[in-house]
Amino acid sequence: MEQAAKWSKWLQRLAAGRKEKNKPVHPFWVIVHKEITDTVTSWRFLILVGIMLLTSIGSLYTAFSGIRSVDPSQDGLNSFLFLKLFTLSDGTMPNFITFISFLGPLLGIGLGFDAVNSERNKGTLSRIMSQPIHRDYIINAKFTAALIIIAILFFGLGFVTMGLGLFNIGIPPTPEEFLRLLAFLALSVFYVAFWLNLAILFSVRFRQPATSALSGIGVWLFFSVFYSMIINLIGNALAPSQTASTDEILGYAHTIQFLSRLSPSQLFSDATQTLLMPETRALGLITYEQAYGALPGPLPLGQSLLLVWPQLTGLIAATLICFAIAYVWFMRQEIRSR
């Protein structure tokens, strides 16, 4: 009943917006505004944000402890010290990027697992569709609203971390460090958007929110915990013999690497490692001939972006595939309440 009352209020605003000739309100943005308001005022969102803030504070504390142990004679102050706020750890707690990799999927699943099926179960979906609006406005608006919230949350969290780090270490980030951090935050938004779309897909496919939530968490657990075990088993089964040739060993390494990169978590890990650790010059197996003549040192930002371009493309492709399937299913489904 409470949800139905909210929708009535927003539909009245939608109708009022259509009547205002001087300030027309597009129905799509009315729905987006309504979704953002509902999400940021819900206890579920506040709990997820609270967990993210607590873990960020914990990772920042362990980063400060790790930076104090850095030896300036071996790791000069100009060697991307500011990026170490996001990558260093003293061993007591994981670093910032590990927390984002672990909790980011939960945030996406939490925002999208009941995006459609809860509206259908409460009967508000058919009530919305009784208005003269396109059906795809609904699923597009739900995705857009959740993506806006995720982007604001991650960029806000990143800037707060940078500000606290600036106060603590007293050294501002260089332009390249700042651009690398912006690229990392944008990559994090794409990564969470994949899990958000997967959750919306399950919310369209399954009628019960509990089923879609368990499905999303199951996929997240599979890629976070069990997938690496399966890769290890396959690696042991396909391991070449001691008398194998170099080509056979390289083929085995490329096969294992390809299987590992089918996981979105692995794609995110490879990309963040390259962006926040400029000394990373390659993400796969390199031969002695390829490494011969290479000078040790950090890569420029442009070269790092080229190195992670396949990972970024893979994450965007997976996100678009999930959204396309959810879109097609939603457009073909019967939305009248039973």
Side-chain angles (χ1 to χ4, degrees), residues 98-121:
T98 303
F99 275 124
I100 294 296
S101 177
F102 186 76
L103 294 178
L106 288 181
L107 178 65
I109 294 171
L111 292 180
F113 76 94
D114 63 345
V116 176
N117 48 22
S118 65
E119 302 282 0
R120 183 184 292 114
N121 293 336

Side-chain angles (χ1 to χ4, degrees), residues 283-336:
L283 292 173
L285 184 66
I286 57 174
T287 61
Y288 178 78
E289 289 79 8
Q290 292 172 327
Y292 181 75
L295 298 176
L299 282 180
L301 175 59
Q303 295 297 316
S304 295
L305 289 175
L306 286 177
L307 194 60
V308 303
W309 189 251
Q311 282 77 8
L312 181 61
T313 305
L315 283 177
I316 294 175
T319 302
L320 292 178
I321 289 173
C322 288
F323 181 76
I325 296 174
Y327 181 90
V328 171
W329 276 353
F330 179 74
M331 295 299 287
R332 293 183 175 181
Q333 272 186 343
E334 175 61 57
I335 61 172
R336 287 179 298 183

